[in-house]
Amino acid sequence: GDLGGPKKATGLGLLVHSALLVDAGTERTVGLVGQDYWARDPAERGKKYSRKTRAYEEKESFKWQRLSERLQSELDPELSARVVTVCDREADVYAYLAFKIANGERFVVRASWDRNVECEAESEQGKVLDEHLFAAVGRARKMGECAVQVPQRGGRPARMATLTLRALRIRLVRTERLGTLPKRIAINAVLAREESPPSEVKPLEWLLLTSESISISEEVIEVLRLYRLRWRIEEFHKAWKSGAGVERRRMANVENIERIAVVLAFVAVRLLQLRER
């Protein structure tokens, strides 16, 4: 299938969406709990430009809800109630957030869009009523600070960063084209921002949308900790691709590619677990 990219790109392959279960207490990897494989039709390249006219269920972004629905049906109800889904900015989809809230599912999703919001809360400047997400949470009262380790990456040296934490209860407002969804959804927002970064360093900033409580500073810090565990899925992908070598496999047909990919996915999980121990 078409892997996308620049207009002249000709790379073909499978796309995969994985769900990894991590014990939030010990921060150890439990294992894979779901994977979806699919291929894009090369004849439909450029379809993303018509995404606003397509049904939500027909879009690739529906993958988040599809996997959530399956996990809810497969996991034990007691365990399911304890699971907090943690996603990066790609999951900042209004329909997906509305689905999670309507079904009482727990989540932490990094915000990507500066959405219209409704809120009224005490800020450092007094009462505010804001229309956009990042400005509204950026003026919320300070809930504490948290030091995080920034790992070395590329030419960037490792360092410690001090993040200022702010939190606010808000209502996201849907756009008119999403008319079948709830007009507003109530949600908690946490902003972790490096307000005094070293010179010539891009400051860290994470704005997180969550179902988790943000009443006290310890709860806000816990939301940040849960989001930082999201990096484990990146470590899984690295173990799968580089350690287990899934991208080096050369099979004669798609079915065999998927078979060896699934086997090597569990090898990659074992590699993570061995390193953690």
Side-chain angles (χ1 to χ4, degrees), residues 134 137-139 164-167 189-193 205-208:
F134 283 79
V137 187
R139 287 199 286 266
T164 298
L165 303 177
R166 302 177 188 275
V190 171
L191 177 64
R193 175 188 287 162
E205 180 177 291
W206 300 326
L207 202 159
L208 310 174

Side-chain angles (χ1 to χ4, degrees), residues 72-200:
Q72 282 290 337
S73 66
E74 294 175 354
L75 293 179
D76 177 86
E78 182 180 350
L79 174 61
S80 182
R82 293 164 49 206
V83 169
V84 181
T85 306
V86 183
C87 311
D88 209 355
R89 287 178 287 193
E90 191 183 352
D92 183 10
V93 178
Y94 190 92
Y96 176 62
L97 297 173
F99 162 80
K100 298 292 274 187
I101 292 171
N103 288 274
E105 297 183 21
R106 301 169 66 184
F107 63 89
V108 177
V109 173
R110 185 176 176 185
S112 177
W113 306 102
D114 196 14
R115 301 181 182 278
N116 290 334
V117 300
E118 294 177 350
C119 66
E120 186 174 355
E122 292 290 343
S123 76
E124 293 177 346
Q125 290 78 34
K127 286 274 187 179
V128 294
L129 179 65
D130 246 297
E131 293 185 349
H132 289 91
L133 174 62
F134 283 79
V137 187
R139 287 199 286 266
R141 67 186 180 91
K142 184 175 177 179
M143 298 285 287
E145 292 183 342
C146 183
V148 299
Q149 177 71 37
V150 182
Q152 182 274 337
R153 188 175 183 182
R156 181 187 70 188
R159 66 185 180 91
M160 289 296 296
T162 299
L163 303 181
T164 298
L165 303 177
R166 302 177 188 275
L168 190 63
R169 180 73 170 173
I170 59 172
R171 292 184 297 275
L172 299 181
V173 181
R174 67 162 170 76
T175 59
E176 288 301 320
R177 65 183 179 82
L178 301 175
T180 59
L181 296 171
K183 189 171 183 179
R184 297 171 183 82
I185 52 177
I187 201 167
N188 294 330
V190 171
L191 177 64
R193 175 188 287 162
E194 190 176 17
E195 297 189 344
S196 301
S199 59
E200 300 181 359

